Amino acid sequence: MQTDDSSIRDVGLIRTGEQICIVRLEEGTFKGEAFQAVNLLSGSLSQDKEFHEGDTTLVVVSVSDGEVTSITMTDHYRIGWEILLAVLFILFLVFFAGPGGLRSILSFVITVLAIWKVLIPCCLKGYNPILCGLGIIVILTIAIIILVYGYDRRSLVSILGSLLGILTACILGMIFTGAMNIHGAIMTDSESLLYSGYAGLNLTQIFMASIFLGASGAMMDLSVDITSGISEVVLKKPDIGKWEAVGCGIHIGQAAMGTMTTTLLLAYAGSFIIQLMVFMAQGTPLINILNYKYIASEILQTLAGSFALVTVAPFTAMAGGILLTGKKKKAL
């Protein structure tokens, strides 16, 4: 690809105008042929794409009567790099975890397909996103934990602990979203979705669903950790009592919860780091920051998810103490 930047105007950090590109098509009917395309720069650093000689790009070719009428420069072609990164991740995971890594990859694929092929289409069709989200998470939790443990009582303990925590996050999200007067339109691109023919969608319910969806992975992780800990204790001390096993599970959960809640905080804060820098650079008062609805929504997601995560420990410890001890210990 060749480019001509002579029509671009620079004003400080802003670049506007037309970038003329000569592109050679690599696929389709006109493969191997070169055409001229125009890349419009509007002055938005987040939206504009600037190309350079030798770049590989994704384009849309408009054809009329067998002739190319226009070529739209969509964006840089990144799929090759994405595939490379995914392959490296899979190889490293399999090398490090062996058969467990393969099961992790399978659970990852199942999760992606469930969200992309089931959850999102159901939400677009107007089904209740909270019920759809809960249904998908229940199925994923059961499937993923069974891939970890197989069909035994450890799976049941982890599933119960995870689902009770997820239900807690769901209830907290529903209550405090209304109490804090947060509308689902604060989610990125949500208004564009309404204007694309989906005006009947309940964005607030979708936001509520995102609260427990976002925290569900951490809850499964914590529940599995506590279950594995209790299971090992029972194996080493078969005559342990139920309440002693519950206490062991709670102690294990106490050690893990500090880092798990911080994980949620960092996950949400990382996506908002630029906005926080803007507040500090402008000297925005803290009381104003905490009352902005998009900041309040992040606080709600973090605290509701963390609150529910804390409940996973006692839920899992109780289930583990009851189900993993006593006469059934030989089945471990």
Side-chain angles (χ1 to χ4, degrees):
M1 183 176 71
Q2 300 175 350
T3 60
D4 179 2
D5 297 347
S6 59
S7 298
I8 296 178
R9 298 181 297 276
D10 293 308
V11 181
L13 296 174
I14 305 302
R15 308 199 81 192
T16 58
E18 295 182 350
Q19 182 183 41
I20 307 301
C21 303
I22 305 299
V23 298
R24 184 177 300 277
L25 302 182
E26 297 182 357
E27 295 180 2
T29 305
F30 302 94
K31 180 179 179 179
E33 297 185 37
F35 298 92
Q36 178 176 297
V38 177
N39 176 37
L40 296 176
L41 302 178
S42 63
S44 172
L45 294 176
S46 62
Q47 299 296 326
D48 287 345
K49 289 83 62 177
E50 190 172 346
F51 302 100
H52 303 280
E53 185 173 350
D55 285 351
T56 301
T57 65
L58 181 66
V59 300
V60 176
V61 180
S62 299
V63 179
S64 178
D65 297 326
E67 298 291 333
V68 174
T69 56
S70 67
I71 294 180
T72 302
M73 309 287 291
T74 302
D75 212 326
H76 290 85
Y77 189 79
R78 302 182 175 94
I79 295 178
W81 293 109
E82 293 169 352
I83 293 175
L84 175 62
L85 183 59
V87 170
L88 291 175
F89 165 69
I90 292 171
L91 292 176
F92 180 78
L93 185 60
V94 172
F95 174 77
F96 181 77
L102 293 175
R103 290 194 295 270
S104 297
I105 294 169
L106 179 59
S107 65
F108 183 87
V109 172
I110 290 173
T111 302
V112 171
L113 291 176
I115 293 173
W116 185 249
K117 293 295 186 180
V118 181
L119 179 60
I120 293 178
C122 286
C123 289
L124 287 174
K125 290 178 181 177
Y127 297 121
N128 188 302
I130 296 175
L131 295 179
C132 290
L134 283 174
I136 291 295
I137 288 300
V138 168
I139 294 172
L140 287 177
T141 300
I142 295 172
I144 291 170
I145 291 178
I146 287 177
L147 284 173
V148 174
Y149 285 133
Y151 292 95
D152 65 17
R153 286 176 292 118
R154 292 175 301 173
S155 294
L156 179 58
V157 170
S158 294
I159 290 169
L160 287 174
S162 299
L163 293 183
L164 288 171
I166 291 167
L167 183 60
T168 301
C170 177
I171 293 172
L172 289 173
M174 293 173 64
I175 292 173
F176 285 94
T177 297
M180 297 169 68
N181 292 309
I182 295 176
H183 192 280
I186 52 95
M187 295 182 292
T188 304
D189 292 331
S190 57
E191 290 188 66
S192 298
L193 183 61
L194 295 181
Y195 301 142
S196 299
Y198 296 94
L201 295 181
N202 190 322
L203 296 179
T204 302
Q205 287 186 348
I206 296 175
F207 172 76
M208 293 176 185
S210 72
I211 294 175
F212 62 82
L213 283 170
S216 59
M219 295 184 199
M220 280 188 273
D221 188 16
L222 180 58
S223 181
V224 167
D225 288 344
I226 295 173
T227 301
S228 296
I230 297 175
S231 176
E232 288 299 315
V233 170
V234 174
L235 283 173
K236 299 297 183 182
K237 188 179 179 182
D239 59 343
I240 189 173
K242 295 184 185 301
W243 293 110
E244 188 178 358
V246 170
C248 290
I250 290 176
H251 287 310
I252 296 169
Q254 288 173 340
M257 279 187 294
T259 54
M260 295 299 288
T261 53
T262 304
T263 298
L264 285 181
L265 173 61
L266 293 175
Y268 289 123
S271 62
F272 237 68
I273 189 68
I274 291 296
Q275 189 64 64
L276 296 176
M277 292 171 66
V278 170
F279 289 147
M280 181 170 288
Q282 295 178 344
T284 307
L286 183 59
I287 190 172
N288 288 13
I289 295 174
L290 295 178
N291 277 284
Y292 290 139
K293 59 184 178 181
Y294 44 92
I295 295 296
S297 69
E298 294 292 324
I299 292 173
L300 173 58
Q301 287 182 310
T302 302
L303 293 182
S306 298
F307 188 106
L309 188 62
V310 172
T311 66
V312 169
F315 287 149
T316 307
M318 289 288 292
I322 294 171
L323 297 175
L324 298 179
T325 59
K327 296 180 180 179
K328 295 181 179 180
K329 59 181 177 295
K330 295 181 180 179
L332 289 173

